[in-house]
């Protein structure tokens, strides 16, 4: 799988058997990392999504209710990950739209990390408040990213921080690599030219949110702009961390 890093090309040589993408909402991962998830899945990695909310406030329809929307969005996300060759989708059930990076959320993510024991965690960059002058980053995205990073280090690897996590036989786990999505300081690009159609197919499953015809032009434009950085047709961009 082609990785391109300005600092450490050896990141491509690290074994990846399990990938956990921690996101705020359904569709967040499909906009940002779906092409790379498809590549990892093709290489035999088990790829799982952990969503902090079920996105049940994501509608402008005055007739829609959170109770009706929640199962729709859960089903859409499961169908989307299936398009990529991924595995399960897990939901933590926090309230959509008002997510906070609480100790409870950090603990819940750390518990999943210790159970699933991923090699790679993908999460949202909590330092990104806006992109250019066009997009204000959703506060749920920042909250999910902050809690996920706190779960990776130090919570999941230190049994004394949340000792209740290890009362039922779990053991601490050290994640070797973190991929931040939505970062304005990307240092790693992945060539997703071969999986772009699957990324779009995954996005097309989120029918409650948009028609694929609405989003395909700008999704392709973003990926093409990332691709220019490494001389390929389409790429996804990340800031890569290797916590110690």
């Amino acid at each position: 799988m082609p990785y391109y890093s300005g600092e450490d090309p050896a990141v491509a040589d690290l074994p990846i058997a399990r990938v956990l993408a921690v996101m705020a909402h359904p569709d967040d991962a499909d906009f940002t990392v779906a092409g790379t998830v498809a590549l990892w899945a093709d290489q035999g990695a088990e790829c799982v999504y952990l969503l902090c909310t079920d996105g049940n406030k994501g509608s402008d329809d005055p007739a829609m209710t959170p109770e009706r929307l929640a199962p729709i969005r859960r089903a859409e996300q499961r169908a989307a990950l299936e398009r990529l060759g991924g595995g399960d989708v897990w939901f933590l059930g926090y309230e959509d739209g008002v997510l906070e990076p609480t100790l409870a959320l950090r603990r819940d993510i750390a518990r999943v990390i210790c159970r699933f024991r991923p090699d790679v965690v993908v999460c949202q960059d909590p330092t990104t408040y806006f992109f250019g002058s066009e997009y204000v980053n959703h506060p749920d995205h920042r909250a999910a990213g902050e809690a996920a990073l706190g779960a990776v280090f130090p919570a999941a690897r230190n049994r004394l921080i949340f000792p209740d996590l290890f009362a039922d036989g779990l053991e601490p786990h050290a994640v070797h690599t973190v991929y931040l999505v939505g970062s304005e300081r990307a240092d790693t690009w992945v060539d997703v030219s071969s999986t772009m159609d699957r990324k779009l197919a995954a996005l097309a499953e989120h029918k409650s949110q948009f028609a694929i015809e609405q989003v395909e032009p700008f999704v392709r434009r973003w990926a093409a702009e990332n691709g220019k950085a490494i001389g390929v047709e389409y790429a996804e961009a990340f800031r890569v961390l290797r916590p110690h």
Side-chain angles (χ1 to χ4, degrees), residues 42-152:
D42 288 349
Q43 292 186 335
E46 183 180 1
C47 300
V48 168
Y49 285 0
L50 176 66
L51 303 187
C52 299
T53 81
D54 51 21
N56 65 349
K57 305 290 180 63
S59 177
D60 293 327
D61 181 354
M64 181 58 73
T65 66
E67 293 74 21
R68 286 176 51 213
L69 186 57
I72 293 171
R73 297 210 68 188
R74 289 195 296 264
E76 288 173 346
Q77 184 60 91
R78 291 188 174 102
L81 186 53
E82 186 174 351
R83 292 276 194 169
L84 304 174
D88 290 336
V89 181
W90 300 328
F91 295 88
L92 292 177
Y94 283 78
E95 187 176 357
D96 185 17
V98 292
L99 192 67
E100 295 284 349
T102 61
L103 289 177
L105 177 59
R106 188 190 306 177
R107 182 189 293 110
D108 285 343
I109 297 171
R111 180 180 290 109
V112 174
I113 290 172
C114 292
R115 287 190 183 280
F116 183 57
R117 309 185 77 75
D119 305 300
V120 170
V121 165
V122 184
C123 66
Q124 290 153 308
D125 188 336
T127 69
T128 303
Y129 278 75
F130 47 82
F131 300 93
S133 59
E134 298 177 350
Y135 179 72
V136 176
N137 197 16
H138 197 302
D140 284 5
H141 297 171
R142 303 197 308 270
E146 182 176 341
L149 287 177
V152 167

